[in-house]
Amino acid sequence: MRNLSKAALNWLYRMRGRSRAYKACFLDENGELTESGRVVLADLAKFCRAHKSSVHISPINRTVDPYATVHTEGRREVYLQILTLLRVSEDQIFEMARVRDGNASDE
């Protein structure tokens, strides 16, 4: 880490602290999502349109609405940032999507 600038090191330390705070909210001591964490992430996924296109088509003129599209992409970015800080795996994301869609297996 000697080659990193002071600003880069400060950023890394801030991100580590932020990541720990998010993990304390959503994960148990084994690093698995808590039930409350799953509920909140499922709600955020729906609100942030995490699993849908960000592109919005205007119902009036049937063209892409760039303002609504950028707004939706901003929401989606927040959700993705939370997943990044939690280091949620692809398998966990797919499992949350299956549960959200009512396709959870009884394994």
Side-chain angles (χ1 to χ4, degrees):
M1 284 220 217
R2 289 183 183 161
N3 297 334
L4 293 176
S5 70
K6 186 175 181 178
L9 283 173
N10 286 338
W11 180 83
L12 283 172
Y13 290 130
R14 282 194 322 271
M15 287 304 292
R16 182 184 300 164
R18 192 175 305 153
S19 181
R20 284 183 185 152
Y22 274 84
K23 287 176 181 179
C25 291
F26 289 95
L27 305 178
D28 64 18
E29 58 278 350
N30 298 319
E32 298 294 324
L33 284 168
T34 63
E35 186 59 34
S36 295
R38 287 183 210 281
V39 169
V40 170
L41 285 177
D43 182 58
L44 285 173
K46 183 177 179 181
F47 177 76
C48 296
R49 295 176 54 98
H51 306 291
K52 296 181 181 181
S53 173
S54 298
V55 176
H56 272 272
I57 305 297
S58 170
I60 298 169
N61 60 15
R62 308 303 282 162
T63 61
V64 173
D65 181 338
Y67 299 109
T69 298
V70 170
H71 176 80
T72 302
E73 185 56 29
R75 283 184 181 185
R76 191 170 174 275
E77 186 178 12
V78 169
Y79 178 77
L80 294 175
Q81 174 69 2
I82 292 170
L83 293 184
T84 299
L85 289 169
L86 294 176
R87 294 189 176 166
V88 174
S89 70
E90 277 188 28
D91 290 340
Q92 289 172 305
I93 293 169
F94 288 127
E95 180 60 26
M96 285 187 294
R98 274 200 304 272
V99 169
R100 182 197 73 230
D101 295 339
N103 298 326
S105 62
D106 293 330
E107 299 177 351

